[in-house]
Amino acid sequence: MWSKAKKYFDILIPKFLSYSEIASINLTYVDKFVWDGEIPECQPNLLLRNNSEYICSHVYDSGELWHTHTGKFLRVENKFKRLLNLNIDCLDEKEASGNDKRVVKILTVITDNLNQPGYNSIDIKSDTAVNFVDEHMHELHTFSKKTFSNIICDDMCKRIGLFE
């Protein structure tokens, strides 16, 4: 997906930098896991990593719908003030057929804020900006995968190809 979007960013970023600056870089993912079975038999604990630092403990044994939210700021190389924001929901959604399905939806938002007080200043020149954003998006993607692997269990990580 990024390779397709990058074609547009290659054109837009230099134009943008001619009158403004990059204040933050953001990567957002929504992953949805649909329970294949009867709703009362749904067991989200089979998907989730036990004792994950990102999940409230009450959700593991809940037979009801739930939501958990967490976030934290991280200092990255003294350059970026990173906000990691996670919203995880167990809810019912209607399928196109009209049937209800139980799903676990995981929203991961990672935002790196640049030139924040107490952090090193970063001056992005228009001739290097595209490479800077490209490399940074790859770093955010790697961080996102590492975070996600601490939310879902090893079996599911293997099943979706997150790691072998």
Side-chain angles (χ1 to χ4, degrees), residues 85-146:
N85 184 334
L86 296 163
N87 284 299
I88 308 170
D89 300 304
C90 179
L91 46 90
D92 294 334
E93 289 186 351
K94 286 236 182 270
E95 292 185 308
S97 66
N99 295 328
D100 288 342
K101 279 292 191 180
R102 180 74 40 103
V103 300
V104 174
K105 187 166 32 175
I106 302 169
L107 170 68
T108 306
V109 182
I110 305 164
T111 305
D112 277 1
N113 298 290
L114 289 71
N115 299 321
Q116 296 291 298
Y119 288 75
N120 293 341
S121 179
I122 300 171
D123 185 23
I124 304 170
K125 305 289 185 215
S126 62
D127 60 336
T128 62
V130 172
N131 286 337
F132 175 83
V133 171
D134 183 43
E135 290 172 7
H136 204 79
M137 290 300 286
H138 287 287
E139 290 174 25
L140 290 177
H141 183 252
T142 299
F143 178 79
S144 176
K145 288 186 347 183
K146 181 180 176 191

Side-chain angles (χ1 to χ4, degrees), residues 47-49 149 152-160 163:
L47 166 69
L48 304 173
R49 181 171 297 283
S149 71
I152 61 174
C153 66
D154 286 346
D155 287 342
M156 189 55 69
C157 285
K158 290 175 189 171
R159 185 172 174 185
I160 66 171
F163 59 76

Side-chain angles (χ1 to χ4, degrees), residues 30 47 64 69 71 75 88 121 155 162:
V30 177
L47 166 69
E64 301 297 322
H69 170 86
R75 183 177 288 270
I88 308 170
S121 179
D155 287 342
L162 196 57

Side-chain angles (χ1 to χ4, degrees), residues 15 33 35 37 73 80 85 129 161:
K15 292 183 187 302
F33 296 87
W35 176 257
F73 285 101
F80 308 106
N85 184 334

